[in-house]
Amino acid sequence: MRHMLLRELVSKFTRRGFLRAGAATVAAAAVGGAPRLTQATESGLSAEQSRTLVQFTRDLFPHDRLDDSFYAKAIAPLEDEASKDAATRRLLAEGVAQLDSAAMASAGKPYTEVTDENIRIAAIQKIEGGAFFSKVYNGALTPLYNQPELWAKFGYEGPSSAQGGYLERGFSDIDWLPQ
């Protein structure tokens, strides 16, 4: 069987064919949805551990109007670090186990299955002085709030440096403070 050279493949691929294939890919993604957290991760963490990290991050930075996908992006750097560093992977796995253990003791369910926010908060309070809490809190804070897609949800217009700063762009336009 003859293998096609890259230049032969490219010459047979027209702009219209490219657009058609792209549209089919977008349609398939829309029907199939976004990748789910139930899939195995490349971080060395199980899908359930990743789900727990998303819920934990949501509980640390609670915003009801944000989708879990923003929280998944926030923990992605931690998962990436865990894929490269066994100590981080172990720290995250042990922290997730601590959350699950505390939730099981209080509610008889793993952390992600506990619907009562007060029970999850109590589980967090038991570990908040530890290395796991610190790692996730500090590791997810910036990646969560540094997502331009969610800035509008908080009323943030983005950095003003490209427009010359805030001084000439409504810096003193606040009308809710007394004069």
Side-chain angles (χ1 to χ4, degrees), residues 16-139:
R16 183 168 297 193
F18 174 76
L19 292 172
R20 189 178 309 128
T25 302
V26 169
V31 171
R36 300 175 198 264
L37 292 173
T38 57
Q39 297 171 348
T41 63
E42 295 179 15
S43 64
L45 300 174
S46 72
E48 187 58 37
Q49 289 170 327
S50 292
R51 240 188 330 276
T52 301
L53 284 176
V54 167
Q55 182 62 54
F56 178 52
T57 305
R58 178 177 277 288
D59 289 336
L60 289 175
F61 310 103
H63 299 287
D64 292 336
R65 60 187 166 189
L66 294 186
D67 188 65
D68 280 347
S69 64
F70 292 110
Y71 293 97
K73 287 179 186 176
I75 66 162
L78 290 170
E79 291 181 316
D80 185 47
E81 183 180 340
S83 71
K84 298 172 184 161
D85 181 37
T88 300
R89 186 171 43 252
R90 188 172 36 260
L91 176 69
L92 295 178
E94 289 171 0
V96 165
Q98 288 175 336
L99 284 173
D100 281 340
S101 176
M104 288 295 275
S106 298
K109 299 176 185 176
Y111 184 80
T112 55
E113 293 179 21
V114 175
T115 56
D116 186 347
E117 186 176 313
N118 293 322
I119 293 173
R120 291 194 316 267
I121 299 304
I124 291 171
Q125 288 173 335
K126 290 179 181 177
I127 64 156
E128 78 180 314
F132 168 72
F133 180 93
S134 179
K135 181 74 170 175
V136 176
Y137 184 88
N138 293 321

